[in-house]
Amino acid sequence: MSAAEKTTLHSSTLAVRQAVERSQYGENSEALYLTSGYVQPSAEAAAARFSGEEEGFTYGRYGNPTVASFEQRLAAMEGTEAAMSTASGMSAILMMCMGLLQVGDHVVCSQSMFGSTIKLIGSDLAKFGVQSSFVPQTDVDAWRAAVRPNTKLLFAETPTNPLTEVCDIAALADIAHAAGALLAVDNCFATPALQRPAELGADIIMHSGTKFLDGQGRVMAGALCASQQLMTEKFLPVLKSAGMTLAPFNAWTVLKGLETLDIRMRAQSAQALALAQWLEQHPAVDRVYYPGLSSHPQHALALRQQNGLGGAVLSFVVKADTPELGRARAFHVLNQMQVLSLSTNLGDTKTLVAHPATTSHGRLTEVQRQAAGVAQGLIRMSVGLEHLDDIHNDLLRGLNTLASVK
Ligand SMILES: *Cc1c(COP(=O)(O)O)cnc(C)c1O
């Protein structure tokens, strides 16, 4: 497909048709190229490829045809000029920070970001002289107030885990650009099927391909989507020297996952909305967090920003008078499940259910945990594709006998 043809195609078409470079065999499904090296047609071509004057693969750490297909398809779906993939979501964030920041630079992040992101930017990069501020996710004024003369990057994640807080991407893009900084958005939870941050002014979109892009819990992967200039000048040099390269097999798996992303995200969002509405009515449930509910504080913003859909992740709190009882009752619900998976991962066709207070947020002190809003009675669900009745029944076993836990 030429570039002109591509622009006339819809996103769902690009998800199955973009970047299908067929070999001489004419295979219909994307080929998987398992190779670490490449044979060069001539010494002159090798020299031109290594110097960057000519396109062509030179070494597996720098590029691979299957990996390139995944990158081109993801970029088309996010609406950016280019994408570069990495071995995991966290290594995509590392590549971004190594490419953009140096000692003395400052980053503003939400305090509700993925735990490893807070650790990487707040602690690991601090060792190399990178400063950071963490602000309340939904408080636009706090983001603006945190900007300093040396701020180079604002990094947001929306919706967040586990409370599904939504921030205003367009407003944060304005703050970043007014300060001469860039805005990066972690788009793991919404995916380009629901939310395209580039259209709202974000400069960099970061992905953990491990989650919904693969969508079936098989491989680790990560990516950054941005302009060709950022890729060439900032990120490619880091990838080449630091080597957080995505393996071809993993790239192929996620590439095929992208083909069903749109249909999965629509179906799983519809299931999550129905489940959230049902949980909100259940007498044993204290509170439900889900952007698709009208009770969600950023409901209108979420629908506007996320293509009218709430996503596949929701959380709820079981009723209890004390934190100890909340934990015991949440454990009871999890231990009664026979169908759903007790797992801290997310973004699978299988429904995954977790207790954040003792797993993903288990290293926080009780005070930090309460500030983060992660109650002991909180249960997080990444809603999959099982029949809704079966999901209800699996939860009801525990919810209907909660009073027996004292
Ligand atoms: C999982 C996750 C990451 C990290 O991705 P890995 O592939 O596990 O390295 C980053 N951000 C969010 C929101 C995630 O859910």
Side-chain angles (χ1 to χ4, degrees):
M1 276 186 291
S2 74
E5 278 171 312
K6 277 182 226 157
T7 53
T8 64
L9 296 174
H10 295 86
S11 178
S12 54
T13 307
L14 295 172
V16 292
R17 291 287 173 187
Q18 175 78 348
V20 182
E21 193 120 356
R22 294 200 169 89
S23 77
Q24 71 272 31
Y25 300 116
E27 69 282 350
N28 189 45
S29 173
E30 296 75 356
L32 167 52
Y33 292 96
L34 286 176
T35 183
S36 50
Y38 303 89
V39 179
Q40 303 301 331
S42 67
E44 289 78 7
R49 288 176 184 185
F50 269 88
S51 71
E53 285 160 36
E54 185 185 304
E55 292 229 345
F57 294 103
T58 53
Y59 183 52
R61 177 155 27 90
Y62 306 166
N64 170 283
T66 307
V67 172
S69 291
F70 165 57
E71 292 170 343
Q72 287 162 25
R73 187 171 291 179
L74 182 63
M77 292 168 75
E78 282 288 4
T80 57
E81 284 174 7
M84 256 174 68
S85 54
T86 52
S88 66
M90 290 317 302
S91 58
I93 301 176
L94 180 64
M95 181 170 77
M96 173 171 77
C97 293
M98 286 181 70
L100 296 178
L101 305 171
Q102 61 181 32
V103 56
D105 286 344
H106 176 243
V107 188
V108 185
C109 297
S110 157
Q111 66 193 21
S112 318
M113 293 196 80
F114 189 64
S116 299
T117 306
I118 293 178
K119 168 111 184 8
L120 177 65
I121 293 177
S123 307
D124 298 322
L125 290 177
K127 286 197 302 192
F128 299 93
V130 173
Q131 304 164 13
S132 52
S133 304
F134 294 89
V135 298
Q137 166 85 354
T138 58
D139 185 346
V140 176
D141 291 332
W143 285 84
R144 191 179 294 110
V147 171
R148 302 175 190 167
N150 56 339
T151 302
K152 293 285 159 50
L153 180 68
L154 273 63
F155 189 20
E157 176 186 321
T158 180
T160 58
N161 173 37
L163 299 184
T164 70
E165 294 172 294
V166 174
C167 65
D168 188 335
I169 296 172
L172 296 186
D174 286 345
I175 294 172
H177 298 154
L182 299 177
L183 173 67
V185 174
D186 179 335
N187 204 22
C188 280
F189 272 57
T191 81
L194 269 54
Q195 168 174 284
R196 307 217 307 168
E199 289 174 355
L200 300 167
D203 304 285
I204 302 160
I205 294 99
M206 173 258 147
H207 273 289
S208 165
T210 319
K211 311 293 170 55
F212 293 102
L213 301 189
D214 170 20
Q216 291 157 78
R218 298 167 294 193
V219 297
M220 304 288 300
L224 298 179
C225 303
S227 67
Q228 188 60 55
Q229 190 185 0
L230 277 177
M231 293 300 165
T232 312
E233 293 178 7
K234 303 293 184 187
F235 305 139
L236 187 59
V238 175
L239 181 90
K240 283 185 162 182
S241 56
M244 54 280 274
T245 310
L246 180 62
F249 177 78
N250 294 8
W252 181 83
T253 307
V254 185
L255 173 70
K256 299 303 282 180
L258 289 180
E259 297 187 355
T260 54
L261 179 68
D262 194 68
I263 196 166
R264 280 187 284 108
M265 289 307 290
R266 282 175 195 287
Q268 290 175 228
S269 293
Q271 299 248 89
L273 175 61
L275 187 61
Q277 289 166 336
W278 176 83
L279 283 166
E280 221 175 21
Q281 300 301 319
H282 195 282
V285 173
D286 199 26
R287 178 158 183 197
V288 182
Y289 299 89
Y290 183 65
L293 290 176
S294 51
S295 58
H296 189 280
Q298 299 95 37
H299 176 63
L301 170 64
L303 293 193
R304 196 166 72 235
Q305 203 164 257
Q306 297 175 198
N307 210 4
L309 296 171
V313 177
L314 65 84
S315 291
F316 65 96
V317 183
V318 293
K319 272 193 189 147
D321 293 333
T322 62
E324 294 71 34
L325 188 60
R327 177 196 293 213
R329 288 186 166 174
F331 277 20
H332 176 74
V333 172
L334 299 179
N335 289 333
Q336 294 300 308
M337 296 187 316
Q338 294 173 4
V339 178
L340 310 181
S341 305
L342 178 50
S343 171
T344 53
N345 194 12
L346 63 96
D348 202 307
T349 49
K350 296 178 170 65
T351 295
L352 311 176
V353 192
H355 184 247
T358 52
T359 56
S360 54
H361 295 67
R363 278 183 294 174
L364 303 183
T365 65
E366 191 57 35
V367 174
Q368 284 175 318
R369 210 165 15 244
Q370 275 171 13
V374 178
Q376 290 289 344
L378 185 81
I379 293 173
R380 189 200 70 195
M381 300 185 66
S382 167
V383 182
L385 291 175
E386 300 91 346
H387 195 285
L388 205 50
D389 290 350
D390 294 328
I391 301 178
H392 287 170
N393 289 335
D394 220 34
L395 294 174
L396 276 179
R397 246 188 302 280
L399 287 176
N400 286 348
T401 52
L402 264 201
S404 69
V405 183
K406 299 225 163 50

